[in-house]
Amino acid sequence: MIGTRAWRGTLAVLALSCGAAGLPPAAAAEPGASALVAPLTPLEPAEAGERKSTIELAWFAPAASLDKRLSRTRRAALSAGVWNLDPAARAVLTGGFSGDALERTQVAVGLAPDLPAARMERARALWLHADSPVAALAVAISALRAIPRHLEASLWFGGAALYVLAVALVLGGLLCIAASAVFAAPHAAHDLGDAVPGSLAGFARFALLSTWLLVPLALGEGALGLAVALLAPAMVYGSRGQRVALAVATATVLLGAYPVAGLAGSVLTTLPGDPVADAALFTAHGAPRPHDRVRLEAAAEDDALAARALALQARQAGSLAEADSRYRALLELAPDQPGARNNAANVHFEQGRFDTAVDLYERANERGASAVALFNLAQAYGKDFQVDRLSEALERAQALDSELLTELAALQVDHPEGFVIDAPLPRRLVWQRVLASGGGEAVAAEFRASFAPGRLGADPSVALFAFAAVALAAALVGWRLQPSRWCPRCGRRVCPRCHGAGGEHGLCAGCTLLFLRPESADRSLRVARINALRVREERLNKVAWLASVAVPGAAGLLAGRPVRCLLGALFFALALAAISWRGGVVPDPLVAGAAAPVFFLVVASVAGAGYAAVVALSIATRRSR
C-alpha cells in the first residue's frame, strides 16, 4: 500500500477528535422528548473552566424531536462557518448514537451533509431497512456529487484518482510499445540475422534479437528499460502513423511515471504533513484542538490560510471583537477575498452594525455573486426593513443555488429573527498548498521502483534522453534500411536481400503473377490458389478477432490504426487500475466509505466501455478493408 505511513497520524488524530467531539448517548431522556432523541440528552456539566462552543450548546440543548435538534445544530454550525461536523458524524456512525441504522445515518448526514461516507451509509440503511431502492440510489449518487464539496474527500479521491491515472498512463503506454514491438519482431529478427555473417537459423535470429531486448533488464532497469529496447524495433518497422503513436505512447509513460505520480503523492501526503493545513482542517470542522491555535498564530503573519482559520476560530468562539480585527487585517492585505468580506460582514451583523454589514455584503458580491453572500445580504436588508431589496437578493440567490436556499429557508422557520452564514475556509487555499508543495516525490519514487528500479526511474532526464535517443536512431535506421515485410495477400515474407526486388505493390512474386497478371497463370492452379488463400484469410480473421479482444492494443494494429492501439491500451490499463485500487491507494481517512469502490468501479466501467468501443470499431475497420 503506497503512502500508508503518511496517513496513520491523521487517522489517529481523527479517532481522538471523534472521541472529543462525539455525541455519546445519555442515560435519561428529556421530559416530553420523543424516543428518537432520548439518547441525545445533555451530557454531564462541563468541567470547571471548560467552555462549550455554540455548536455544542445547540446540539445538547433540549429539543422536542430529532429533526429540531439537527436543524438547530446545522444552523449554528453554518453560522460558525462549519459546513460539515465531520468528527461528530464519524462518532455517530461508529457507535456514538444508540438509535437504529436509519436514525443513526439520518443524524450523521444531518451533521455532515457533504461527507460521502455518511451519505453512503445512509444509502445502505435505506436499501436494507427501509426497502427503498430508489431513494437509496439517489442518496448514493448524491454521495458521489458531494466529493468535490468536501475538502478531505476531494483530496483523498483526487490523490487516489491521480495515482490510478499514473498507473494507467504508464501501463497503457508500455502495452502499446510492447504490442508494436511484437508485430515488428519477426522482421527485426530476420533482418538482424542478415546483418551477421553466415546463415543463421530462425531461432538463432530471435535469440540475437532477445539479447538486445534483455540488455536493459540485465542492467537492472526493469520494465521501463525493456520498453526502451522494445521501442527500437517498433520504430524501425513502424509506418509514419505508428511512429507518431509510439512517440505519444512514450510521452504517456514519462508523464505518468514522473509528473502525474509526483502530483498524486503531493495530494495524498501534503495535508497530513502540513501542521497549518491540519490545524485549519480541524477548525473548519468546528473541532479545533488546543495546539491548533498555537500553530496558526505562529504562521498567521505570512500564511493566508492560517490567518483565515484564526478569524474563523474567533467567530466560532463568539469573540466578535477579535474576529472583526482579524478580518480587517485580512482585507487590508488582500481586499479581493469575497469569502473573507462576507464573514467580516457577518461579524458586523452580529454586532448590530447593519449599515456597514450591507456595504460589505454588496462588495462581496461585486466580483462574482454567491448564494451565501446574497442570502446574508437579504438578512441585513430585512433588519433594515428594505423588503424589495430583500426579495431581489433572495431571488438572485435562488437562481445561483436553489438547493442551498431551500435548506436555509427551512432552517429559518424556527429562527424568525434571522441568521447569517459564514463562508467556509476556501478549498482553493489548501489545494494551492498541495499543488505547490512538491512533497509527493517519495510516493512517486516508490511507485517507479516497481517498474523502473534503476537509473531511468531515478532521473527523468535520463529516461527522456534514453527514449529520445533510441527513437531517433531507430527512425534513421528505418529510413535507410530496406526492411522485410509480409505479403498482404499470402503472408509470405518479402525480403529485398533474400528475394530481390520482389513483386509489385508490396506483393510477393507469386501473388503478383496470380492477381496482377492472371493471364500468365494456369486457370485451375489459379483457382486452387485463390481458394487456399481464402481459407487462410478466414482462419486469420478468426485469430485476429480473438487477438483483438484478448490482447490490449492489438485491435488497432490489426486494423492499421495505430492511434487506436494506444487508446485501447490506455482504456484497458485504466479499467484494470481502477478495479485494482477500487478501495484507494492509501487508507480512507474516514471520509470515503462505500463511495470509494462505487467511484472507482464507475471509472472502471467507463474505461471498459471505451476499450470495448475501440475494439469493436477496429474490428469493423479491419473487416471493411
Side-chain angles (χ1 to χ4, degrees):
M1 194 69 73
I2 302 299
T4 301
R5 294 180 179 177
W7 282 88
R8 287 178 179 167
T10 299
L11 294 174
V13 169
L14 290 173
L16 291 174
S17 69
C18 287
L23 309 172
E30 302 164 310
S34 68
L36 287 178
V37 291
L40 301 173
T41 48
L43 297 176
E44 294 297 323
E47 297 179 3
E50 182 181 348
R51 179 181 178 182
K52 291 184 178 179
S53 69
T54 56
I55 301 172
E56 290 176 304
L57 292 173
W59 175 261
F60 290 115
S65 69
L66 176 61
D67 287 339
K68 293 290 185 182
R69 188 186 299 279
L70 287 174
S71 175
R72 184 177 60 204
T73 305
R74 175 67 171 161
R75 186 171 59 245
L78 289 174
S79 296
V82 180
W83 289 64
N84 292 282
L85 288 163
D86 282 9
R90 293 184 183 113
V92 168
L93 291 175
T94 55
F97 175 71
S98 60
D100 61 26
L102 288 171
E103 296 164 350
R104 186 168 60 251
T105 55
Q106 179 187 358
V107 171
V109 173
L111 294 172
D114 295 332
L115 183 64
R119 286 187 176 269
M120 290 303 295
E121 286 299 317
R122 179 65 176 168
R124 179 182 297 174
L126 290 171
W127 182 279
L128 296 177
H129 304 288
D131 194 22
S132 183
V134 175
L137 179 61
V139 174
I141 293 173
S142 72
L144 298 180
R145 292 173 54 196
I147 291 172
R149 300 194 300 268
H150 192 279
L151 177 59
E152 279 179 288
S154 64
L155 287 169
W156 187 83
F157 276 100
L162 284 169
Y163 189 91
V164 167
L165 178 61
V167 172
L169 290 173
V170 171
L171 181 58
L174 293 178
L175 285 174
C176 178
I177 294 172
S180 300
V182 168
F183 274 68
H187 299 309
H190 175 83
D191 294 348
L192 188 60
D194 286 349
V196 177
S199 179
L200 292 180
F203 75 89
R205 294 171 184 254
F206 274 98
L208 188 60
L209 177 63
S210 300
T211 301
W212 157 255
L213 298 179
L214 293 176
V215 167
L217 294 179
L219 294 176
E221 296 298 339
L224 193 63
L226 179 61
V228 174
L230 290 172
L231 185 63
M235 291 290 284
V236 168
Y237 293 92
S239 63
R240 180 179 299 178
Q242 286 175 320
R243 289 171 181 170
V244 171
L246 287 168
V248 177
T250 300
T252 64
V253 171
L254 296 176
L255 184 67
Y258 297 97
V260 176
L263 185 59
S266 295
V267 174
L268 289 171
T269 61
T270 297
L271 184 60
D274 187 330
V276 172
D278 181 60
L281 177 66
F282 276 85
T283 298
H285 291 328
R289 301 155 297 184
H291 61 273
D292 287 340
R293 186 175 183 87
V294 177
R295 292 177 174 179
L296 295 173
E297 286 180 341
E301 185 175 349
D302 302 316
D303 194 314
L305 181 62
R308 284 290 294 270
L310 282 172
L312 189 60
Q313 277 193 15
R315 173 93 161 93
Q316 291 171 356
S319 303
L320 297 181
E322 179 188 351
D324 185 34
S325 173
R326 291 192 179 279
Y327 279 121
R328 284 178 184 273
L330 271 170
L331 293 175
E332 286 177 2
L333 293 175
D336 188 19
Q337 296 186 56
R341 198 174 295 279
N342 170 84
N343 293 359
N346 288 347
V347 174
H348 288 216
F349 183 96
E350 296 293 344
Q351 291 175 329
R353 296 185 287 164
F354 302 118
D355 291 341
T356 55
V358 167
D359 179 61
L360 286 168
Y361 287 134
E362 290 177 342
R363 292 168 64 186
N365 285 297
E366 285 177 357
R367 297 186 62 84
S370 73
V372 169
L374 286 169
F375 174 82
N376 292 339
L377 177 60
Q379 304 302 301
Y381 282 146
K383 290 293 186 180
D384 208 22
F385 302 102
Q386 300 184 48
V387 180
D388 292 339
R389 290 189 173 184
L390 181 153
S391 300
E392 179 186 355
L394 288 179
E395 288 175 2
R396 292 174 61 194
Q398 179 76 20
L400 291 174
D401 193 337
S402 59
E403 185 177 345
L404 176 62
L405 262 291
T406 300
E407 179 188 8
L408 296 179
L411 294 178
Q412 199 169 8
V413 169
D414 296 326
H415 206 280
E417 68 276 14
F419 70 99
V420 290
I421 307 167
D422 263 19
L425 286 177
R427 293 187 295 273
R428 170 183 54 84
L429 292 179
V430 178
W431 273 98
Q432 285 176 348
R433 297 173 76 92
V434 167
L435 298 179
S437 70
E441 183 52 35
V443 173
E446 188 176 348
F447 165 63
R448 289 193 297 271
S450 61
F451 63 91
R455 183 74 182 276
L456 295 177
D459 192 338
S461 61
V462 173
L464 179 61
F465 175 80
F467 274 104
V470 169
L472 181 60
L476 291 174
V477 170
W479 178 59
R480 296 177 61 88
L481 178 70
Q482 289 184 308
S484 61
R485 62 187 184 277
W486 302 122
C487 172
R489 288 286 189 172
C490 67
R492 291 178 178 174
R493 186 185 307 281
V494 179
C495 177
R497 292 168 298 280
C498 301
H499 309 111
E504 302 174 13
H505 302 289
L507 301 177
C508 65
C511 288
T512 298
L513 292 176
L514 186 64
F515 294 102
L516 301 183
R517 300 190 184 95
E519 69 282 355
S520 62
D522 181 84
R523 185 176 182 279
S524 60
L525 293 177
R526 180 171 177 270
V527 171
R529 178 63 174 161
I530 290 175
N531 288 335
L533 290 177
R534 185 177 293 114
V535 172
R536 173 184 176 275
E537 184 176 1
E538 290 177 355
R539 183 175 67 253
L540 289 179
N541 283 337
K542 293 179 181 179
V543 174
W545 184 90
L546 182 61
S548 297
V549 174
V551 181
L557 291 176
L558 290 169
R561 299 292 188 272
V563 173
R564 292 182 194 170
C565 168
L566 176 59
L567 284 176
L570 288 174
F571 277 130
F572 175 84
L574 180 58
L576 182 63
I579 291 174
S580 300
W581 283 279
R582 60 186 178 275
V585 296
V586 297
D588 172 18
L590 307 179
V591 296
V598 171
F599 174 82
F600 286 108
L601 287 177
V602 168
V603 173
S605 299
V606 172
Y611 176 68
V614 169
V615 170
L617 184 60
S618 299
I619 291 175
T621 300
R622 187 176 186 278
R623 286 179 176 175
S624 65
R625 293 171 59 185

